[in-house]
Amino acid sequence: TLQTAQVTLEPGDRLLFSNTGPLVVQDPDGEELGESDFYRAVLQRAEMETEEMLADLEEVFEEFADEEPYPNDITIVSVRRDA
C-alpha cells in the first residue's frame, strides 16, 4: 500500500531510509547484523554530517562482514535539516 505522510523536520532532525540490505550483512559465521545493531550504529552517528555518517556506516558493514560478500544491495538515504 502506498501512503502519503507529512513530516516536519526541526533543525538538526534527520530522516533515514534504508532497504533491508544492512540488516542482512553477514559475518564469516553467517550471523546477520540485524536491526538492533544497525539501529545502534545509526544512533551513534546521528550527529555526524551526512557524508561522514554514511562513510562510517559503510565501515561498520565492512568490519562486520570481514570480507564476506553482502547478500543484498545496501541502500540508505539520509535527509537532514541543518537550519
Side-chain angles (χ1 to χ4, degrees):
T1 305
L2 180 62
Q3 297 180 6
T4 302
Q6 184 172 350
V7 177
T8 302
L9 297 180
E10 299 297 327
D13 286 351
R14 178 191 310 269
L15 288 176
L16 195 76
F17 302 93
S18 174
N19 67 350
T20 59
L23 309 180
V24 298
V25 170
Q26 295 178 352
D27 68 10
D29 296 326
E31 185 172 332
E32 293 182 348
L33 182 66
E35 287 182 21
S36 295
D37 287 336
F38 176 58
Y39 294 151
R40 187 176 305 109
V42 169
L43 289 174
Q44 290 171 344
R45 292 155 181 82
E47 298 301 319
M48 292 179 171
E49 294 296 323
T50 299
E51 286 185 33
E52 181 184 13
M53 181 198 70
L54 293 174
D56 218 52
L57 287 173
E58 184 177 10
E59 287 181 24
V60 168
F61 307 145
E62 289 173 356
E63 287 177 18
F64 185 81
D66 192 27
E67 299 189 24
E68 291 295 314
Y70 298 157
N72 292 342
D73 68 310
I74 294 176
T75 303
I76 299 173
V77 176
S78 175
V79 177
R80 181 175 177 194
R81 179 176 175 190
D82 290 328

